[in-house]
Amino acid sequence: MSMQDLIAAARVSKSWPFQEAQRLLKRYPDGTKPDGSPVLFETGYGPSGLPHIGTFQEVLRTTLVRRAFEAMIGARPEDGKTRLVAFSDDMDGLRKVPDNVPNREVLEANLHKPLSRIPDPFEAGHASFAHHNNAMLRDFLDRFGFDYEFVASSDMYNSGHFDEALKQVLRKNQAILDIMLPTLRAERAASYSPVLPISPVTGKVLQVPVEVVDAEAGTVRFTDEDGTIVEQSALGGMAKLQWKVDWAMRWYALGVDYEMYGKDLTDSGIQSGKIVQALGGRKPEGLIYELFLDEKGEKISKSKGNGLTIEEWLTYGTEESLGFYIFPNPKSAKQLHVGVIPRAVDDYWQFRAAIPTQELDKKLGNPVWNLLRANGGWDAEEAPGEGDALPVSFGLLLNLASVLGTEATEANLADYLDTYLGGVPRGPVLDRMIAAAVAYTRDFIAPTLSKRAPTANEAAALKALDTVLASADPSMSAEHLQTEVYEIGKREEYGFENLRDWFKALYQTLLGSDQGPRMGSFIRLYGIDNTRKLIAQALEKA
């Protein structure tokens, strides 16, 4: 695949990252901004609670669009044609205490102060609550190898980087009010101001009417909580902006070209788009994505802590499977809970194995092709090779672990797998899958397993299978074993209407589950003798 082939395919691809990038290319047909600066992609993060997968997905999806755009203009990541900023809104005032943090009294004592000026309740040596949560986000993004620049709102405000943009907000104060006031209830409109001064006495972010005294000097006047009339600068971290104004100011000040956001921010995006135009800027291109839901179908919230955590996914699954689950259909809501992990792990490797034989247009729609390019893993002249297919599935490892029960340890699964592989090294990918399979089985599968007794016809079929296995060569291949299992299920004497019923009987009587693996692969991995013991245990119940 040449770079020219990739450029041509990328510009007509129907894969969603490329469709997003195509809209951005219409903005900059030459692939560059008029001033020659890199095209800027941005993601936003509110550090009022602990980072969760919903936070991570925005960085991943934006990265996918960024790489798609680079493909369209024939650029590689190292060419510096684009930038990705992960922006933390850590000047926001803390409105309520999250449920999932320690030392809640520390946060309760500092309500309404900027998140970056509140002590760290985790007592982990960070300068503030926001610094702690920012560090967690950065650690996770770094773990996945994202190419991004982290920018904190507090640094931008406190350093004066936003001062010129803040002056423009003050100059356009009335125009912004004209945009915002019609969208507010009368009570809220009465005290609304685009600028939120920070009290010189309490350090709290104030929701009070503000008079612009001198826009060029950045001076404002307001009444503090104790009734004192205060005249002070709005620059240098002495004020912040209302959310929708702040978002627009950021687009204006940084020159953001692309930012996606969740459906819950649709109205904010509309109003912020109007405000950035009032400031003299341009609203970025962007995708409005659906939100993740928990297993009850409720919105995931950082403050509630009801989402599947990053660490939970990595305990029960793999890093690459997380990106795979996030990739498809960003405009469709997805439930995010531990039950989706096993399939995501196996589907990742199935899609990865397909890449070498796919036509270019199909590759551009392959989630794994996009994910591998997301972090600069390979360029247009390279592709994953045939060795990227795994010899066993995660589902098969889960079935093995469930059969082993209390004996399911990483060492035991590794021993079985080593025998199955015949001396071929496992490698780190399979080692991670083994650890995840043991943890997932222990916490979610083992407590639910219940082997039923076989019916008379099922018992007869199991005896036939045992007879076949008794005379089988211990080195018989998984494919040969699978054929033997198929042939028994097809015999009319056992009365199975279809092979599905036969395999369901095997799963329920031998594994204690309604679903299971290819039995040939399972028998090969678990061992013929061990499988015969399972059959004997099932027949004892008949």
Side-chain angles (χ1 to χ4, degrees):
M1 175 176 63
S2 70
M3 181 62 79
Q4 290 304 314
D5 288 339
L6 179 58
I7 292 172
R11 294 193 176 200
V12 296
S13 175
K14 300 301 183 182
S15 178
W16 76 260
F18 291 90
Q19 289 190 318
E20 287 298 295
Q22 287 159 14
R23 293 197 292 114
L24 187 55
L25 189 63
K26 290 180 180 179
R27 176 177 290 210
Y28 301 123
D30 295 330
T32 58
K33 300 173 78 165
D35 62 0
S37 63
V39 174
L40 181 60
F41 296 77
E42 183 184 59
T43 66
Y45 165 60
S48 59
L50 303 181
H52 57 69
I53 293 173
T55 310
F56 162 73
Q57 65 83 21
E58 193 170 297
V59 180
L60 173 62
R61 285 172 169 165
T62 304
T63 297
L64 295 172
V65 178
R66 179 189 183 191
R67 296 297 181 229
F69 180 78
E70 290 170 343
M72 289 179 185
I73 63 173
R76 291 183 171 85
E78 62 269 23
D79 293 341
K81 298 294 186 180
T82 66
R83 294 171 58 209
L84 171 60
V85 165
F87 193 94
S88 171
D89 293 308
D90 62 357
M91 277 291 283
D92 287 351
L94 179 65
R95 293 185 293 274
K96 64 179 181 178
V97 178
D99 297 329
N100 54 349
V101 297
N103 301 311
R104 291 169 55 86
E105 65 279 1
V106 173
L107 299 185
E108 289 170 354
N110 288 276
L111 283 172
H112 307 297
K113 291 182 181 179
L115 296 164
S116 56
R117 300 178 187 180
I118 296 174
D120 177 16
F122 293 89
E123 299 178 342
H126 296 286
S128 71
F129 181 39
H131 282 79
H132 173 273
N133 291 346
N134 288 343
M136 290 189 66
L137 177 68
R138 296 178 69 178
D139 286 347
F140 183 65
L141 298 181
D142 290 344
R143 183 187 308 183
F144 274 76
F146 283 113
D147 174 20
Y148 71 100
E149 303 165 41
F150 183 82
V151 177
S153 179
S154 56
D155 291 339
M156 295 290 100
Y157 274 102
N158 295 337
S159 68
H161 188 94
F162 277 164
D163 281 357
E164 287 305 314
L166 288 170
K167 291 178 183 178
Q168 183 68 351
V169 169
L170 297 180
R171 296 184 192 107
K172 301 296 183 178
N173 184 68
Q174 188 57 52
I176 296 170
L177 288 173
D178 291 341
I179 293 169
M180 289 303 304
L181 292 182
T183 70
L184 304 174
R185 296 189 301 271
E187 181 181 357
R188 180 76 179 91
S191 62
Y192 181 87
S193 169
V195 179
L196 302 176
I198 295 176
S199 169
V201 177
T202 65
K204 294 181 179 180
V205 179
L206 303 178
Q207 296 270 0
V208 295
V210 172
E211 176 188 352
V212 177
V213 176
D214 187 337
E216 300 307 317
T219 309
V220 296
R221 183 183 297 118
F222 59 93
T223 302
D224 207 339
E225 292 177 295
D226 61 1
T228 303
I229 296 177
V230 177
E231 187 173 304
Q232 69 179 30
S233 175
L235 311 179
M238 298 180 72
K240 73 172 300 292
L241 300 179
Q242 292 277 8
W243 153 239
K244 295 172 186 177
V245 185
D246 188 271
W247 201 10
M249 181 275 292
R250 186 199 312 166
W251 291 340
Y252 172 78
L254 301 180
V256 177
D257 299 299
Y258 186 92
E259 180 165 5
M260 62 175 61
Y261 48 89
K263 185 176 71 172
D264 57 334
L265 295 181
T266 299
D267 180 67
S268 295
I270 292 172
Q271 307 310 327
S272 295
K274 295 177 181 178
I275 293 170
V276 72
Q277 287 182 314
L279 295 176
R282 187 177 181 184
K283 183 182 180 182
E285 300 294 338
L287 166 75
I288 300 176
Y289 58 81
E290 271 286 357
L291 306 176
F292 283 122
L293 308 174
D294 65 15
E295 57 188 335
K296 297 178 182 179
E298 297 178 354
K299 176 188 169 183
I300 289 176
S301 166
K302 292 191 295 292
S303 59
K304 286 182 180 179
N306 64 330
L308 183 66
T309 68
I310 290 163
E311 292 304 324
E312 284 172 335
W313 187 290
L314 297 183
T315 297
Y316 303 121
T318 58
E319 293 183 1
E320 57 271 9
S321 65
L322 174 57
F324 180 89
Y325 184 73
I326 286 171
F327 179 89
N329 304 321
K331 294 183 180 181
S332 298
K334 292 184 180 68
Q335 287 191 318
L336 193 60
H337 54 85
V338 292
V340 307
I341 294 176
R343 180 173 178 178
V345 175
D346 281 336
D347 283 355
Y348 172 88
W349 288 101
Q350 289 177 13
F351 276 79
R352 180 162 180 157
I355 292 175
T357 59
Q358 286 183 315
E359 296 294 329
L360 182 54
D361 63 324
K362 298 296 183 184
K363 288 179 180 178
L364 269 59
N366 186 320
V368 179
W369 188 92
N370 285 272
L371 291 168
L372 291 172
R373 287 180 59 84
N375 298 328
W378 52 282
D379 63 29
E381 287 75 36
E382 299 174 347
E386 298 293 341
D388 286 318
L390 292 183
V392 295
S393 68
F394 187 57
L396 186 57
L397 292 176
L398 289 174
N399 287 121
L400 175 60
S402 67
V403 169
L404 293 176
T406 57
E407 297 180 5
T409 64
E410 292 180 33
N412 280 350
L413 259 68
D415 287 342
Y416 279 102
L417 193 53
D418 286 342
T419 301
Y420 180 82
L421 296 176
V424 177
R426 291 190 308 276
V429 171
L430 286 175
D431 283 343
R432 289 198 303 270
M433 287 175 60
I434 286 172
V438 170
Y440 194 96
T441 301
R442 178 193 65 230
D443 294 343
F444 302 108
I445 296 180
T448 67
L449 294 178
S450 178
K451 299 178 184 179
R452 68 168 176 83
T455 62
N457 69 304
E458 291 170 349
L462 286 171
K463 289 177 182 178
L465 177 58
D466 182 65
T467 299
V468 169
L469 295 179
S471 60
D473 188 320
S475 62
M476 183 179 287
S477 70
E479 291 75 15
H480 193 169
L481 289 166
Q482 184 75 6
T483 299
E484 294 289 355
V485 176
Y486 261 86
E487 291 303 318
I488 292 171
K490 290 191 290 185
R491 294 179 192 172
E492 292 184 5
E493 61 195 276
Y494 300 127
F496 296 111
E497 291 188 10
N498 52 58
L499 285 171
R500 185 183 298 109
D501 291 343
W502 166 226
F503 282 105
K504 187 174 182 179
L506 288 170
Y507 300 147
Q508 292 179 342
T509 61
L510 301 185
L511 305 180
S513 175
D514 289 334
Q515 298 178 330
R518 286 176 57 85
M519 287 305 298
S521 298
F522 174 78
I523 295 169
R524 182 75 182 84
L525 176 61
Y526 190 44
I528 289 176
D529 289 342
N530 286 328
T531 303
R532 293 189 66 203
K533 291 176 184 179
L534 281 181
I535 294 173
Q537 292 169 4
L539 291 175
E540 289 177 359
K541 298 179 180 180

